[in-house]
Each structure stands twice: as structure tokens, then as C-alpha cells.
Amino acid sequence: MMIAVYMFLLLCSLFMACIHCDPAQLCGNRCLCSSTHDQKIVHTAVCSKDFPSQLTHNISVLIMKNLGKTLNKDDVNSPSKLTKLDLKGKIKEIQDHAFDIENLKNLSVLDLSNNTIQKLTSKTFSGLNNLRELYLDNNNVKVIENGTLTFMGKLNILFLNRNYLTDIPYLPMNITKLQLQHNHIRTVNFHGQKLYNLKYLDLSGNAYDSIKKMEFLLGNHIEQLSLGDQILQIEPQVFQETKELKRLELEGKDSLFPETWEGIFQINSLETLTIKYIPLPPLNQHNFSSMSHLKSLRLIHINTDVQMKRNVFKQLVQLEELDLQGSPNIAQHIINTNVLLSSLSHLKTLILQSVGIKTFRSNQSELLKNLSFLDISNNKLQCDCRLKWLINKVITGQMKLKNPKQTICSEPASYYGYSILDSRVTYTLCPKDESTDTEATKIPDKARVTFYPPSTSPNQSMNSKTIIYILIALSTMVVILAVLLIIMIFRNWRQK
């Protein structure tokens, strides 16, 4: 009864909406509008091919699809005062003053990503003085003329990643987030601009190999910095004024100069340090002595070995995450050295993905007494009694296993390809010995998982269910036939 009432009310509301809302009147042709519960208040319009000739003044977001390759001023006809304009598509060229119209004066977000734009002139964005976010990622931009961006005094976020720039363009002074990764930038030069408000900068995936202090005037408000691909040398003075730098990511192909490492290890504000592919220098206690605030250390895809003193992590008292993904030599050296593990007792997350380990023993976990997240995926694991403790901890909720579907057994052959949490592994792996069972290894009833009984395989269980279903179907058919037979006999009797 209640379901019928709900359906009736829903149909009534749809009927009333159809009466009071005319999509063509609100959006015009080739447009769809999204609105709030009050169908008369429409905020977003999605239109195809051409800019709409009529739009309700409530529209603040316009998303255009399938525009032509050239964007002219006559094309950009907006009858509504927009705050966001999304023009992803096939645009190759933007003519000068294309956005210089009255109803775009208050535009705050312009998204031109995923087009094929090649050139931006000093008049491309004229009129957009109030723009705060500009997205030009995934284009073919090779040239940005001087003055193209600098007049936008309110611009805070600029995405220029995945283009073909060879130099850093002149930038608005109030820029706070800048993405320039995966271009062809050969020299890191900000043209003497002091970008004191810049907090986030990504310059990774470019062609430069050095950074000099005089060309890298970022001020002391930078918080996140990503550098590299072919980086070799960074002048130590680059990091001297970065007093608020919390996240640093370095990616390269060759060893860094010794003075570069000296500058990195002097950054005492760091909370996350990520090194990708770059060989590490010999490490001792003094290297991390200034990094007492470090919470996450990521040494990723480093194939070379590194000399580590036993007290190397002693100063990292706040370290919570250690990511050694794809760094087999470093990972195996750390996990097989009890002194190193014991100095990491405060770790909460340990990533050992793709490091070539076969097992992770319980005594290693005991040294990492605060560990709650473990990733041992993409390794050729040997599933035997040494992993039973880990399975029990995961099942009982004492530890979370990251990427369980990629944490699979390689040996023995009977378990090959199964996740270590598959019931066919968890039930038969190292059968429980009741005489030696302790409270620590018992699984609470609420945390228990369903296992197949020892004498019943999954296929046997499925076959039993199939037989039951067949018997039920046959019984139903017999009952139906019996009813039909009784009806026929009754009719013949009445006819006689």
C-alpha cells in the first residue's frame, strides 16, 4: 500500500513539473538544463554545437559540446551572466577578443582543456579581468605571448600541463597553483618574477637538468613542489627560503650532485619526501637530522642499492608512512634488518609493492607494533604457515591489507593465482591445531568469514544447489499438471 502511495506522489510531481517547466523556454534548442528541486531555478546548461540564443538568467554554468575548430567573438554569445564556462572539445584556434563580451565580465572559471589550441596571444583572454581559474591542460600550446596572462590580477589557478611549451610564460602575480608538468621546458626561469603567493608548483616531466637560485624566485610560501625527469643539479640556496615547504617530489634518471642532496636534507619543514628513480646517496642519521616533521617517506622505483647505517631513521620520530614500491634492494635490506625495523616502530603504513619478497613474517610485524596498513601486492608470495598470522589479523580487523586482489599466491602450485584472502587459501593454509590455539589467534564470531567445509569443494556446493533448484522446479510442474488434470476431470463429470 505504501509503495503504491509513493508511486502516485512521484507521478504527480513529474506531471506538475511537465506543466510548469518548459525546457525549450529555459534552455533553448540543443540544450539540456539541470536544476534544483524547484524546476524553475536552473543553474547549469549543457549545449551542443552552437552557443544558445536564449538562456534563463539563472544559468551560471554553461558547458558547450562539439564546437568548431575556430572560436570567434560572434560565436561566444552568452545571454546569461556566467561564472563558469566549459569549452572542452575540438577548438584549435581562438581569435582575439573572443571572450570580450559584457556577460562574461564576471566569469571566474574557464575550462579549455582537451582541445588542440596551439597559440595564445596577448588579446586571447581580453575582458576576463575577474578570472580565477584557467584550465589549458592537454592542448598543443607552443607559444604564449607576453601579456597573455599577466593582466589577470585575480587568477589563482593555472593548468598548463601536457602541452609543448619550451619556456615558462610570464605569470599573474597572485598565482597560487601552477601545473606545468609534461611540457618541453628546458630552462627553469621565472623571468625575475617574484611569485610570493605561489603554494603549489609542478614542473615534473620536463627537459631541464638544473635549477639555479637566481632564476627560481618563489618566495617562502611554497608548500608543494614537484621537480624533475632529467634533473641533476639544484643549487642548495633554492631551498633556503622555502620555510613552509611541506611536500617535495623529485623524479629523475641519474644521480643528483652531492650539494643537491645537502640542500634537500636541510629542509626542516618537510612532511612528505618523494624520490622516484633517482639513486640515493649513502644514508646515515645525520641526513635526516633536520627532518623531524617528516610523516611520509617514499622511495619509489629505485633499482640501485643504498648504504644505510642502522640509526638512519632514528630522528624520524613522526614518520607514519614508508613507501618502497618498486625498490627491491632497499626494501629487502630494511625488512631483513631488525635494528632498522625497530627504529620504525611508529610506522602505520608500509608499502612493499613489487619488491620481490616472498613472505612477511610475524616477528617483522612485532617490530612494527603500530602498523595498521600493509601492501605486499604484486610479489610472488609463498603461501605457507608464515603468512597465517597476517591472514588472521586482516580477518579480525587488526590490520588492513591494501590491494588484496593483487596480493596473490605464487607457491605452492595448489594456491597459484589465488588471493591470500581467498577462502580456498585461508581455510586450508596451515590447518589450525586446537591444542596450540591461543586467544590471540582465535577469530571473533562477528569477524568470521564463511569457509567451505573440508569435504565440500565450491563446485560440489554449487552442484548441490543446482539439484535442489531442479527438484523444486519438477515439484512445481507436477503440482500444476495435477491441478490441470483435476480441472479436466471436473469439467467432463459436469458435462455428463
Side-chain angles (χ1 to χ4, degrees):
M1 183 64 182
M2 292 300 294
I3 295 176
V5 173
Y6 288 141
M7 291 296 294
F8 176 75
L9 292 174
L10 178 61
L11 290 173
C12 288
S13 63
L14 290 174
F15 178 72
M16 294 300 292
C18 291
I19 292 176
H20 295 289
C21 179
D22 183 2
Q25 184 179 0
L26 291 175
C27 290
N29 297 326
R30 295 181 180 176
C31 294
L32 295 174
C33 292
S34 62
S35 60
T36 61
H37 63 280
D38 184 347
Q39 295 294 323
K40 295 182 180 180
I41 302 177
V42 183
H43 296 292
T44 302
V46 181
C47 304
S48 178
K49 290 187 178 180
D50 300 316
F51 275 78
S53 59
Q54 58 183 25
L55 279 176
T56 175
H57 289 291
N58 293 324
I59 292 289
S60 59
V61 179
L62 177 60
I63 301 173
M64 295 300 305
K65 304 287 186 181
N66 303 316
L67 288 173
K69 292 185 178 180
T70 302
L71 191 65
N72 301 304
K73 184 175 182 179
D74 294 336
D75 297 329
V76 187
N77 174 31
S78 175
S80 178
K81 294 182 179 180
L82 302 176
T83 58
K84 180 178 179 180
L85 181 59
D86 188 326
L87 300 178
K88 297 188 186 76
K90 303 176 182 178
I91 301 173
K92 184 176 180 179
E93 181 182 0
I94 302 175
Q95 290 195 350
D96 291 347
H97 305 289
F99 300 105
D100 197 359
I101 62 176
E102 183 63 29
N103 280 349
L104 293 182
K105 295 294 184 182
N106 294 320
L107 194 70
S108 60
V109 180
L110 177 60
D111 192 340
L112 288 163
S113 59
N114 300 306
N115 286 291
T116 57
I117 302 167
Q118 296 182 1
K119 183 179 180 180
L120 301 172
T121 73
S122 59
K123 299 177 182 179
T124 299
F125 301 116
S126 61
L128 300 180
N129 296 42
N130 292 307
L131 203 65
R132 295 181 182 275
E133 300 179 21
L134 177 59
Y135 299 92
L136 287 158
D137 46 302
N138 293 300
N139 274 279
N140 297 330
V141 179
K142 297 179 181 178
V143 177
I144 299 179
E145 291 183 358
N146 294 346
T148 302
L149 304 169
T150 50
F151 78 94
M152 290 185 278
K154 296 182 180 180
L155 192 67
N156 300 133
I157 298 175
L158 176 60
F159 280 32
L160 283 166
N161 44 304
R162 299 187 184 280
N163 279 284
Y164 294 90
L165 296 172
T166 56
D167 297 295
I168 298 174
Y170 283 86
L171 300 163
M173 296 305 295
N174 289 320
I175 194 78
T176 59
K177 184 173 184 178
L178 176 62
Q179 289 197 345
L180 283 165
Q181 68 268 35
H182 299 293
N183 278 273
H184 296 168
I185 296 172
R186 298 170 184 171
T187 303
V188 179
N189 188 345
F190 285 89
H191 315 290
Q193 288 186 291
K194 297 181 179 180
L195 305 174
Y196 288 130
N197 295 313
L198 190 62
K199 293 184 177 181
Y200 178 101
L201 173 63
D202 194 335
L203 276 167
S204 59
N206 281 285
Y208 59 89
D209 59 6
S210 64
I211 297 177
K212 297 179 180 179
K213 167 63 177 176
M214 295 304 295
E215 299 172 349
F216 200 73
L217 303 173
L218 296 184
N220 57 4
H221 293 296
I222 189 78
E223 294 180 3
Q224 299 184 43
L225 180 61
S226 297
L227 301 172
D229 189 20
Q230 300 185 29
I231 192 73
L232 293 174
Q233 183 181 17
I234 305 173
E235 289 187 354
Q237 294 83 358
V238 167
F239 299 112
Q240 285 182 355
E241 295 183 5
T242 56
K243 297 178 181 179
E244 297 182 16
L245 186 62
K246 292 179 173 60
R247 300 172 63 92
L248 175 63
E249 180 177 323
L250 295 173
E251 182 175 340
K253 299 177 181 178
D254 298 306
S255 301
L256 298 179
F257 288 8
E259 57 268 24
T260 299
W261 286 115
E262 291 176 8
I264 294 169
F265 289 132
Q266 293 301 315
I267 308 173
N268 55 22
S269 57
L270 275 187
E271 294 180 1
T272 300
L273 175 61
T274 303
I275 309 293
K276 292 184 178 180
Y277 301 103
I278 302 174
L280 294 175
L283 297 176
N284 54 53
Q285 178 182 352
H286 300 292
N287 294 122
F288 295 109
S289 59
S290 298
M291 295 188 176
S292 57
H293 299 289
L294 198 66
K295 295 180 179 179
S296 177
L297 178 59
R298 300 170 180 172
L299 308 175
I300 300 174
H301 296 299
I302 300 174
N303 293 320
T304 57
D305 201 356
V306 59
Q307 299 178 22
M308 287 188 180
K309 297 294 183 180
R310 294 189 171 189
N311 57 0
V312 63
F313 300 122
K314 187 176 181 180
Q315 302 293 335
L316 301 181
V317 293
Q318 295 191 39
L319 193 67
E320 296 180 353
E321 179 188 29
L322 180 60
D323 188 344
L324 302 174
Q325 176 185 345
S327 303
N329 295 323
I330 299 173
Q332 294 184 36
H333 179 63
I334 291 176
I335 65 175
N336 291 322
T337 307
N338 289 346
V339 176
L340 285 174
L341 282 183
S342 60
S343 64
L344 294 169
S345 59
H346 35 274
L347 274 186
K348 295 181 179 179
T349 300
L350 178 60
I351 310 296
L352 296 172
Q353 184 183 133
S354 305
V355 296
I357 63 171
K358 289 189 174 183
T359 191
F360 192 81
R361 297 184 297 275
S362 59
N363 65 324
Q364 294 169 329
S365 175
E366 290 168 3
L367 295 172
L368 301 171
K369 55 187 178 182
N370 291 310
L371 195 66
S372 55
F373 294 90
L374 178 65
D375 188 345
I376 53 173
S377 60
N378 296 327
N379 288 293
K380 295 183 178 180
L381 297 176
Q382 186 172 348
C383 295
D384 53 26
C385 287
R386 290 176 294 180
L387 284 180
K388 185 67 174 180
W389 71 271
L390 175 59
I391 294 172
N392 286 342
K393 276 199 168 187
V394 174
I395 292 174
T396 57
Q398 300 175 56
M399 182 181 292
K400 185 175 181 180
L401 193 65
K402 290 192 173 183
N403 301 317
K405 292 184 179 180
Q406 284 77 45
T407 308
I408 59 177
C409 302
S410 181
E411 299 177 15
S414 57
Y415 294 147
Y416 183 83
Y418 291 140
S419 165
I420 67 169
L421 297 183
D422 191 293
S423 57
R424 287 162 285 193
V425 177
T426 58
Y427 186 84
T428 59
L429 179 66
C430 190
K432 183 188 293 185
D433 183 354
E434 297 294 340
S435 62
T436 59
D437 193 19
T438 64
E439 292 297 325
T441 59
K442 288 182 179 178
I443 303 174
D445 292 337
K446 291 183 179 180
R448 287 187 181 274
V449 294
T450 302
F451 300 123
Y452 295 110
S455 60
T456 306
S457 67
N459 292 331
Q460 289 173 335
S461 178
M462 291 298 294
N463 291 336
S464 299
K465 289 181 180 180
T466 304
I467 292 171
I468 292 172
Y469 293 148
I470 292 172
L471 289 175
I472 293 173
L474 289 174
S475 301
T476 305
M477 291 177 65
V478 169
V479 172
I480 293 172
L481 289 173
V483 172
L484 292 174
L485 183 60
I486 292 171
I487 293 172
M488 291 176 64
I489 293 173
F490 179 73
R491 286 182 177 179
N492 291 334
W493 176 76
R494 291 197 64 179
Q495 290 175 358
K496 291 180 179 180

